[in-house]
Amino acid sequence: MTKEDKNNVLNARKIYYLLFSKLFVFNNTKDRYDGVLDILNIIKQSPLDETSSIGINNFLENFTDFDTLADEYDDIFHAPPRPLHNTFSYYEEGYSSGSACVRVRKILSKTNIRRDEKEFKENEDNIGFVFSLMFDFISYALNKNEKYEEFSKELFKTTINPFIDEFILNLYNHQNSKSYKSICLILQSFIEFERLYYGINKPNYENEKNIKTQNGISRSEMIRREANRARRKAEEQI
């Protein structure tokens, strides 16, 4: 891979992490979702795969406004009786601020980056914060600071890769998930791309405590059903 090709890949990955950080970091600012539609329209031109394309198109076709999206976020992650957990520690150990939080802090201690508590209210193991951190690491790597590429690989390998699939599946199947179902498809495709980029295998969930299915639906079945729904919708419009 040439230097130019590598930079192109880094820039593409940076855009995806920026998208996911905006969609999964909670704050009350008016510019919370600024750039989301622009990013989706950019990656729509060259989607990672069919699943990603379906997710992008579904989101854009059904999008109404960002107030509705923010309400959906709150209904998923904050509303009782069963708000969805959004920390890597929870999916690793069943509670927040656990080992994953310690690992992220150790990686951060090697850098000049620190969590801005005014912007990020949650701890370092929050999934949105980790996506934001990956965006920062790749940005530094693009500025010829190669050690940040090592930090990004360590963060992906130790914290994102082992636990992100269960989070995606739970989010997809959450009763209040609508637009975020489409985001799940984009995120799942991107995670598979990242595994290829880093040469890291998907965890073997058969031999771990991680949940492989929810309500009897696996990730692959989830994606297959969504693809079929999208095809039927397209055929009805012809």
Side-chain angles (χ1 to χ4, degrees):
M1 182 184 295
T2 67
K3 184 177 180 180
E4 181 179 357
D5 288 339
K6 182 177 180 179
N7 284 343
N8 288 338
V9 173
L10 286 174
N11 274 308
R13 295 174 57 229
K14 176 181 170 182
I15 289 174
Y16 274 93
Y17 278 117
L18 177 60
L19 172 67
F20 297 129
S21 67
K22 286 181 174 292
L23 289 167
F24 290 104
V25 169
F26 172 75
N27 64 60
N28 289 315
T29 62
K30 293 182 179 180
D31 61 352
R32 174 179 177 181
Y33 292 118
D34 275 7
V36 165
L37 294 182
D38 291 335
I39 295 172
L40 286 169
N41 279 302
I42 289 171
I43 63 177
K44 179 182 178 180
Q45 306 307 312
S46 300
L48 293 172
D49 54 20
E50 182 183 9
T51 300
S52 180
S53 179
I54 290 169
I56 295 167
N57 289 324
N58 281 357
F59 184 96
L60 292 173
E61 289 172 6
N62 295 297
F63 176 78
T64 53
D65 56 70
F66 286 123
D67 287 338
T68 301
L69 186 63
D71 288 342
E72 182 180 332
Y73 181 98
D74 290 338
D75 289 342
I76 294 170
F77 294 106
H78 296 146
R82 290 186 297 274
L84 185 66
H85 293 278
N86 60 351
T87 66
F88 284 105
S89 290
Y90 177 82
Y91 294 99
E92 181 177 6
E93 300 171 288
Y95 56 88
S96 298
S97 301
S99 298
C101 194
V102 174
R103 285 197 302 273
V104 177
R105 287 174 179 172
K106 284 184 177 179
I107 296 173
L108 275 174
S109 70
K110 305 173 188 177
T111 76
N112 295 322
I113 301 172
R114 295 294 181 270
R115 178 171 63 93
D116 184 347
E117 296 183 6
K118 293 181 180 179
E119 183 177 358
F120 299 104
K121 306 299 183 183
E122 291 87 357
N123 287 325
E124 288 86 349
D125 60 340
N126 175 268
I127 288 171
F129 177 77
V130 171
F131 288 153
S132 296
L133 198 52
M134 288 292 287
F135 169 80
D136 287 338
F137 284 173
I138 294 171
S139 297
Y140 276 91
L142 279 164
N143 288 326
K144 301 180 181 180
N145 199 330
E146 294 182 1
K147 65 181 180 180
Y148 280 89
E149 178 67 5
E150 298 174 8
F151 298 150
S152 66
K153 182 175 182 178
E154 181 181 357
L155 184 57
F156 183 85
K157 181 178 180 179
T158 63
T159 302
I160 299 176
N161 184 55
F163 311 109
I164 192 64
D165 294 285
E166 184 179 348
F167 169 75
I168 294 172
L169 183 63
N170 288 354
L171 175 56
Y172 184 91
N173 284 302
H174 194 279
Q175 61 181 357
N176 294 319
S177 185
K178 300 179 181 69
S179 291
Y180 273 88
K181 282 186 184 295
S182 299
I183 298 304
C184 285
L185 300 181
I186 305 169
L187 179 56
Q188 186 71 63
S189 292
F190 180 66
I191 292 299
E192 297 303 336
F193 175 86
E194 289 288 85
R195 285 169 174 152
L196 288 173
Y197 179 82
Y198 285 123
I200 298 172
N201 293 327
K202 178 188 294 188
N204 183 0
Y205 294 105
E206 294 288 353
N207 298 323
E208 298 180 8
K209 293 181 180 179
N210 298 66
I211 299 173
K212 187 178 181 181
T213 65
Q214 181 171 316
N215 297 327
I217 302 175
S218 67
R219 286 181 297 278
S220 59
E221 177 65 11
M222 167 191 87
I223 292 171
R224 186 190 69 79
R225 291 185 183 185
E226 190 67 24
N228 287 339
R229 278 195 290 269
R231 291 192 188 97
R232 287 196 297 270
K233 181 178 179 181
E235 290 170 357
E236 290 171 357
Q237 294 175 348
I238 296 176

